[in-house]
Amino acid sequence: MPCYAFDGLVPVVMPGAFVHPDAVLIGDVVIGPEAYIGPCASLRGDFGRIEIGEGANVQDNCTVHSFPGRTVIVGEHGHVGHGAVLHGCVVGRNALIGMNAVIMDNVEIGEDAMIGAMAFVKAGTEVPAGALWAGSPARQIRLLREEEKRWKVEGTAMYRELGQRCIRTLHPVAPLAAEEPDRQRLPGGYLPKAEIGPDKG
């Protein structure tokens, strides 16, 4: 993976974590055990520190950065969807950030909270534990139901397992010119659908 020291600080990737070879880590970045960092994610610890907790995931094309002296934290089992931007914020334990959401400076996302896809969370916002926020600017829609919390936990567990599968099986290859006869399919795994939205509560 592209991994760069900056001002004498070398990124840390703890045992059991998976960082995709096309992700970029710079400077004061600490990736916890069994975390998953997806392809083309950029974690720039060149102004402030970045901490990704145990079992958390930061998916493909995410950007994580900060301003000087501020630490970005994604807590244990945090879940950051494709293309999200985190800047100078704290994502609580077991919280979920939806795809392409933008979380600004000094935001605190509470434990077990969810931020909807494409949401914009303004600087200084405090999102309560267990709440669903969505929109641009984001606002609280309601509190999450227990089934939605379970759905989130199951989805994050799938990313923990994905990281371990990547460690075991991911490697560069040349593409095939044609599909093999009887090409196998990836093992199925069923993730129950949770209906999340303002009209579902």
Side-chain angles (χ1 to χ4, degrees):
M1 82 197 75
C3 189
Y4 301 93
F6 182 81
D7 272 356
L9 288 164
V10 176
V12 175
V13 178
M14 295 186 185
F18 173 77
V19 179
H20 192 277
D22 293 328
V24 178
L25 307 181
I26 298 172
D28 194 8
V29 176
V30 178
I31 309 296
E34 294 190 28
Y36 172 91
I37 309 298
C40 300
S42 174
L43 286 73
R44 281 180 48 207
D46 50 12
F47 283 168
R49 180 180 175 91
I50 296 169
E51 299 177 2
I52 309 300
E54 179 176 355
N57 65 77
V58 176
Q59 297 172 22
D60 28 321
N61 300 312
C62 289
T63 300
V64 184
H65 193 236
S66 192
F67 59 86
R70 178 73 178 172
T71 299
V72 177
I73 298 172
V74 177
E76 291 181 7
H77 312 298
H79 191 104
V80 183
H82 316 289
V85 176
L86 306 182
H87 203 278
C89 60
V90 173
V91 176
R93 184 184 188 282
N94 202 46
L96 181 147
I97 307 301
M99 293 182 277
N100 288 310
V102 176
I103 314 299
M104 292 300 295
D105 299 308
N106 296 315
V107 168
E108 300 225 1
I109 308 292
E111 184 172 324
D112 299 319
M114 287 189 190
I115 306 299
M118 305 290 290
F120 177 79
V121 183
K122 295 189 295 186
T125 300
E126 293 188 17
V127 174
L132 171 64
W133 281 50
S136 181
R139 62 182 180 82
Q140 183 163 320
I141 306 300
R142 58 175 170 77
L143 295 179
L144 289 161
R145 298 186 298 271
E146 289 305 312
E147 68 184 77
E148 294 166 335
K149 293 179 184 179
R150 287 193 299 272
W151 172 83
K152 187 272 166 200
V153 168
E154 291 170 7
T156 301
M158 289 179 70
Y159 266 92
R160 289 183 75 170
E161 173 57 22
L162 177 62
Q164 300 312 300
R165 287 169 62 194
C166 287
I167 289 169
R168 294 191 303 268
T169 70
L170 185 77
H171 60 278
V173 295
L176 302 174
E179 186 174 345
E180 318 97 300
D182 302 320
R183 181 181 176 92
Q184 70 178 14
R185 296 295 181 102
L186 292 168
Y190 175 66
L191 182 61
K193 182 179 180 183
E195 297 290 344
I196 299 177
D199 59 337
K200 306 298 182 184

